[in-house]
Amino acid sequence: MAAAASNLQIATLRHCQFQSRKGLKPCGTTVCSSSKASSWAKLSSSSNISSSPFFYRKFVSSSGKNEKTVTKAMAEASDSKPVSGLSIDLKGKRAFIAGVADDNGYGWAIAKSLAAAGAEILVGTWVPALNIFESSFRRGKFDESRVLPDGSLMEITKVYPLDAVFDSPDDVPEDIKTNKRYAGSSNWTVKEVAESVKQDFGSIDILVHSLANGPEVTRPLLETSRNGYLAALSASSYSYISLLKHFVPIINPGGSSLSLTYIASERIIPGYGGGMSSAKAALESDTRVLAFEAGRKHKIRVNTISAGPLRSRAAKAIGFIDMMIDYSSANAPLQKELSAEEVGNAAAFLASPLASAITGAVIYVDNGLNAMGVGVDSPMFKDIDIPTDKH
C-alpha cells in the first residue's frame, strides 16, 4: 500500500460550476478550463430499445469559487513534469463496475479512480434506475463529479442494464417481466450482461461488485423474515458469486475482481439488520474461497474493501448514517470523515499490478476504525488524556 501511496498525487482542482450534478455513459474527449469546458457526450446504452442510440451535449462551465484538495489516482505524469516512484497505470485495461446508479456512492468513486489511472470504464446499472441515470447524465447533472485530476471529464464507454438478483432469463418471475420499471430494457440478467460485454468488447481486466440490498435492513435480526434474510444474501453476496462465475471466462489472466463489504460482518452494528450483517460476512468468506478458485483456475485476484460509512443514497436508507459518520470521526485513529475518493484510490491500487501478490484479502479503508476495541468518546474515558484532533 505504501508503494501505491507514492503515486496518489495530490491535485488541487478548481471545480467548474456545472448546471447540476448527476449522470453516466460514453462521452467524447473533454477539457475543463478555468473559464469554459465543452464536452460531447455519446450515450450508447444497450437497454432502451426505443430510445435514440446516441446523445450529444455541449457543456459550458464558469470559474469555480472554491478549491478542494483531494487525493487522486493518476495514470502517469505529464511529459514536462515526470513523477518519481511507482505509478498506478491502468492504461489499456477495461473495467466493468456493477452497481453504479448515481454519482455519490463508492461505485462511482471507484469508476473515477480507475478512469484516472487510465482504464476504460463500463458500468452496470439497476434496470429501474437506468432511465433516470441516463437522463441525468445527458443533462449534465453529473458533470461536476466527473472531473478527473487532469481536468478532463470521466468517460464511460457503455452502460448496461443489470439486475444481479437474476442469473439468467429463466430465473425472472412473470411479475418482473411485466413490471413497467423493466419495460424497454432487455438482456439484463447476469448471464446476458456478461454475454453482451463479450460481444461488444471481447474481454475485461477488472470486475467490481458494488451491489447490496436488504429489504428488511431496518429490522433487528430476531424480527427478520426468512424471505427478507435470503433476499439480503441473494442481492448482497451471492450476486458477487454469480457475477464472477459469468464474467470469469472473459477476464484476462492477471485480472482483478473487487467487492465492497462493511465492518458489520464481524462486529455488532445495531440497526444494520435484516440479514445484511450476515450477507457481508458471507461476502468476506466467499472472497477467500473465490480467490483460491479463480486464482488457481484463471489467475485472477479476488479481494474486498471494508469501507467506512459514507453519506451515499443507499446508506441514507438505513436511517442513521450521520450518527455512524460522527462516531467514526470521534473514535477512529484518523479523525476525519472518510471520502469516497479514498475508497476509489484503494480500489485502483488493488486492481493494479502493484497489488499483484494480494488476493483473498479484506482491505480496511475506514480511517482505522476497525482496529478500535472501545469507543473513546465514552464518558468512562473522560479522565484519561486521549489525543484528540481539535480541528
Side-chain angles (χ1 to χ4, degrees), residues 195-216:
E195 291 173 346
S196 295
V197 173
K198 179 180 180 180
Q199 181 178 354
D200 294 339
F201 299 97
S203 65
I204 64 172
D205 304 280
I206 303 162
L207 176 66
V208 178
H209 176 277
S210 181
L211 298 164
N213 182 49
E216 299 179 11

Side-chain angles (χ1 to χ4, degrees), residues 149-373:
D150 64 0
S152 66
L153 301 185
M154 175 176 66
E155 299 181 16
I156 296 183
T157 305
K158 195 162 188 176
V159 175
Y160 294 85
L162 171 67
D163 193 330
V165 169
F166 304 108
D167 298 328
S168 69
D170 293 339
D171 299 325
V172 182
E174 193 62 31
D175 64 318
I176 295 295
K177 291 179 181 178
T178 58
N179 192 306
K180 292 181 179 180
R181 303 172 78 189
Y182 287 76
S185 295
S186 61
N187 300 322
W188 42 260
T189 64
V190 176
K191 179 181 179 181
E192 291 173 304
V193 173
E195 291 173 346
S196 295
V197 173
K198 179 180 180 180
Q199 181 178 354
D200 294 339
F201 299 97
S203 65
I204 64 172
D205 304 280
I206 303 162
L207 176 66
V208 178
H209 176 277
S210 181
L211 298 164
N213 182 49
E216 299 179 11
V217 65
T218 58
R219 292 188 184 182
L221 191 57
L222 277 174
E223 298 175 13
T224 299
S225 69
R226 182 184 295 272
N227 287 339
Y229 184 91
L230 294 177
L233 266 70
S234 173
S236 308
S237 54
Y238 184 78
S239 59
Y240 186 41
I241 298 174
S242 180
L243 274 173
L244 197 53
K245 172 184 176 181
H246 289 94
F247 273 86
V248 148
I250 65 170
I251 300 178
N252 293 318
S256 173
S257 181
L258 302 167
S259 65
L260 290 166
T261 185
Y262 182 49
I263 193 66
S265 62
E266 54 186 285
R267 307 287 175 87
I268 300 169
I269 307 293
Y272 193 73
M276 281 304 301
S277 58
S278 307
K280 292 303 185 183
L283 181 65
E284 293 179 17
S285 178
D286 294 340
T287 293
R288 292 183 282 271
V289 178
L290 292 171
F292 174 77
E293 295 180 359
R296 288 296 183 98
K297 295 179 181 179
H298 305 283
K299 294 181 172 57
I300 295 169
R301 296 180 295 109
V302 182
N303 295 291
T304 187
I305 294 176
S306 184
L310 176 73
R311 287 188 179 89
S312 65
R313 179 181 300 173
K316 289 177 181 177
I318 300 174
F320 60 94
I321 187 63
D322 291 335
M323 181 183 70
M324 291 304 299
I325 291 174
D326 291 342
Y327 177 86
S328 178
S329 297
N331 293 286
L334 301 178
Q335 286 189 271
K336 62 182 180 63
E337 184 170 336
L338 181 70
S339 72
E341 287 84 0
E342 290 171 310
V343 172
N345 289 339
F349 162 71
L350 289 171
S352 77
L354 297 180
S356 60
I358 301 176
T359 192
V362 177
I363 305 297
Y364 297 94
V365 184
D366 62 356
N367 289 325
L369 185 63
N370 71 90
M372 300 302 297

